[in-house]
Amino acid sequence: GARLSLARAYRLSLRAEDAVALLGAGAAAPEHEERALALADLGRGPEARAAAMAAASGTALRHLMRRVADGLQGAGAIAQAEATIEAALATTPSEPGLLTHRGQFRQSAGDLTGAETDLNAAIAADPDCAEAYRAYANGRKMDADDPILAQLHRRLARPALARDARRVMHFAAAKAAMDLRAPDAFAHLHTANRLTAEAFPYNFDADLTEARRLVADWKDLARITPEGPVDPASFVTGLPRSGTTLVETILSAHPHVTAGGELPFLSRAMGPALERLRDGQGGAADFAQAGARYLGAARRRTGSTGLFTDKAISTFSRVGHVITALPGARIVILRRDPRDVGLSLYRNLFAEGMHRYAYDLAAMGRYIRLHDAMVAFWAKTLPDRVHVIDYEALPAAPEPEIRALVAFCGLPWDDACLAPEQSDRRVETLSFAQVRAPIGRQAVAGWRRFEDELAPLIRALDDTKIDLGV
């Protein structure tokens, strides 16, 4: 009813405390479920698990416990997130989805051996557990005689394989083929991306319209004197697969910095303020409130009272909004050869519904040029708040680039920033393995091996001209 809808709105706008207070103990199962998710967002694991068990049973409970674990992870309660998966596995120890979830937690923590144990068990329990194959392939360099690879190909050969499983498993097969330099890598990729594009259609015109609205907001934002918190936060943003995880790891090697990863809070905190701004009612107080809500969630997640980083990808599009809500924020934007970005995007599967442009090469080229136009707008408009790093410059001359980055973020120099691969932090993105290697040129100009296959992307990059209307 109305109470449940209001509680969900509270939770989604970073007011989880209000959602919990509104629902109380809850009488109906949907209210218990919403309460479990709100408690998870607050890092209150035992209470969240109790509410989940009051809300559901069987398969529905296992699904809800995974959502609770994700919420606890987002709140920085990693031990509680792991305990939630363990609690669910205690009742169904061979459930493949839970085993895969725990395996991916272990990958994030750098426990690749433990992760493989879980992922092998998930595949043994369900030979069509597509996400387990994909996680397994992403966590290692595949060998031609790997029995998991042979099983993957046998499952893909079955005409009756479900469509959703097929698209995910083709991504895994493509990763293996890339590792082995096999000639069928792009055949797998084209199938995987086509099926995913069909499942999650993309609309470039909608993205262009929103981009124009975001830059048009600046004429109103520029008149606002920010009143928000001046706490230090450094946003590391850019296109996915452009080097943002590497740069965040460089910064977090500094003893004064805590890495937040891709925090899911900025858009949620900013939503009400942005809506009021566009209705002609918004002002400094709305953005100050958004900044305070964001910081509350971010500090709970990171456990930091000092400088932290946020690698939320969408930040590049709303720089003016961020500095209005958080006047102490600094924005670091990665710029990488779009052909290398495109190749890496096309090789990877993202969370359902996210980065929909990435599954079609021509659409991807248009979106990359839209990204470039927005970055150019904000860098020109707010040059003292935006620091652009060329990814290719990092391996070519790491020390001067890293010194400039550290200085921009207002930090004293520390030599630890030159060896980010020694960091033991959790990495919860697709780059969890790469960032544990020293900075090198192995990811530069990789697109040249696949120039023919990437032709639609390259044509779109050459042909697309973006007019943001400013």
Side-chain angles (χ1 to χ4, degrees):
R3 186 168 78 153
L4 178 60
S5 297
L6 181 57
R8 184 173 293 116
Y10 280 156
R11 178 174 61 85
L12 294 177
S13 59
L14 300 185
R15 296 175 61 184
E17 299 95 336
D18 293 332
V20 171
L22 176 65
L23 292 175
E31 292 187 334
H32 282 299
E33 177 176 334
E34 186 57 41
R35 189 166 183 268
L37 296 173
L39 287 163
D41 283 355
L42 295 172
R44 292 158 59 177
E47 294 172 83
R49 288 192 289 275
M53 287 186 281
S57 60
T59 301
L61 175 58
R62 291 193 292 272
H63 178 69
L64 179 55
M65 291 287 261
R66 291 171 63 182
R67 294 180 67 195
V68 165
D70 285 340
L72 290 164
Q73 183 179 16
I78 303 301
Q80 287 296 330
E82 292 170 341
T84 300
I85 295 299
E86 295 293 348
L89 279 167
T91 59
T92 52
S94 298
E95 207 284 316
L98 291 168
L99 287 166
T100 301
H101 211 108
R102 187 172 68 181
Q104 290 171 316
F105 270 10
R106 288 175 165 171
Q107 285 180 331
S108 296
D111 178 11
L112 301 186
T113 300
E116 285 197 2
T117 299
D118 279 337
L119 297 171
N120 273 291
I123 291 167
D126 176 7
D128 287 342
C129 186
E131 184 61 17
Y133 289 102
R134 191 179 74 90
Y136 180 91
N138 283 345
R140 60 159 34 222
K141 185 170 183 179
M142 297 291 287
D143 299 318
D145 58 354
D146 191 319
I148 294 295
L149 179 58
Q151 183 166 348
L152 170 63
H153 284 302
R154 287 195 298 272
R155 305 312 289 183
L156 279 171
R158 294 172 59 243
L161 182 65
R163 191 178 183 86
D164 272 352
R166 184 175 298 280
R167 66 183 179 83
V168 175
M169 290 163 73
H170 271 295
F171 275 110
K175 165 61 166 59
M178 287 283 188
D179 287 347
L180 298 168
R181 291 182 174 258
D184 59 347
F186 263 82
H188 287 297
L189 281 179
H190 289 324
T191 299
N193 281 281
R194 175 180 57 78
L195 292 174
T196 306
E198 290 171 359
F200 303 101
Y202 174 61
N203 185 339
F204 174 78
D205 289 337
D207 273 348
L208 177 60
T209 298
E210 180 59 13
R212 287 171 173 166
R213 293 180 74 186
L214 287 166
V215 299
D217 289 336
W218 179 245
K219 69 180 185 299
D220 295 318
L221 292 170
R223 293 194 285 265
I224 295 175
T225 300
E227 299 175 358
V230 295
D231 300 46
S234 289
F235 292 85
V236 181
T237 184
L239 288 163
R241 317 301 297 156
S242 64
T244 54
T245 301
L246 171 60
V247 167
E248 183 182 46
T249 304
I250 290 170
L251 282 173
S252 68
H254 196 288
H256 297 170
V257 180
T258 300
E262 292 186 26
L263 299 180
F265 306 131
L266 184 63
S267 295
R268 291 164 61 185
M270 203 81 71
L274 183 56
E275 186 175 335
R276 283 179 56 79
L277 180 78
R278 291 176 177 175
D279 286 344
Q281 304 171 34
D286 299 294
F287 281 90
Q289 185 178 63
R293 286 182 181 157
Y294 166 81
L295 277 174
R299 293 211 178 282
R300 181 165 53 239
R301 167 69 175 88
T302 62
S304 170
T305 58
L307 194 149
F308 65 89
T309 57
D310 182 346
K311 205 175 72 68
I313 291 297
S314 63
T315 310
F316 76 83
S317 65
R318 54 199 71 199
V319 173
H321 308 70
V322 172
I323 65 164
T324 305
L326 298 162
R330 295 172 171 87
I331 315 293
V332 178
I333 302 180
L334 268 291
R335 181 169 54 202
R336 184 185 182 191
D337 187 318
R339 296 161 296 187
D340 278 329
V341 171
L343 172 61
S344 190
L345 286 169
Y346 202 62
R347 290 172 60 173
N348 285 287
L349 176 65
F350 299 92
E352 286 197 355
M354 299 294 292
H355 309 305
R356 296 183 178 212
Y357 58 85
Y359 305 115
D360 178 275
L361 289 167
M364 191 191 307
R366 292 193 294 274
Y367 183 86
I368 290 173
R369 289 307 185 212
L370 178 59
H371 161 273
D372 294 346
M374 297 198 77
V375 169
F377 171 81
W378 291 120
K380 180 179 178 181
T381 303
L382 298 163
D384 58 329
R385 309 302 297 274
V386 174
H387 180 69
V388 179
I389 297 178
D390 285 312
Y391 176 84
E392 290 77 14
L394 277 170
E399 185 164 343
E401 290 292 328
I402 293 172
R403 283 186 177 275
L405 168 66
V406 169
F408 173 76
C409 292
L411 294 163
W413 175 250
D414 193 288
D415 285 343
C417 295
L418 295 176
E421 72 279 3
Q422 296 179 15
S423 169
D424 60 357
R425 77 178 184 93
R426 293 180 65 88
V427 179
E428 295 167 359
T429 71
L430 292 166
S431 301
F432 65 85
Q434 295 96 311
V435 297
R436 304 190 193 280
I439 298 172
R441 294 190 59 82
Q442 61 271 16
V444 175
W447 68 272
R448 293 188 183 280
R449 280 179 53 206
F450 309 103
E451 187 169 358
D452 290 343
E453 291 89 345
L454 295 173
L457 165 68
I458 295 168
R459 282 196 301 272
L461 290 168
D462 290 340
D463 296 344
T464 302
K465 302 292 185 283
I466 299 295
D467 176 11
L468 291 176
V470 292

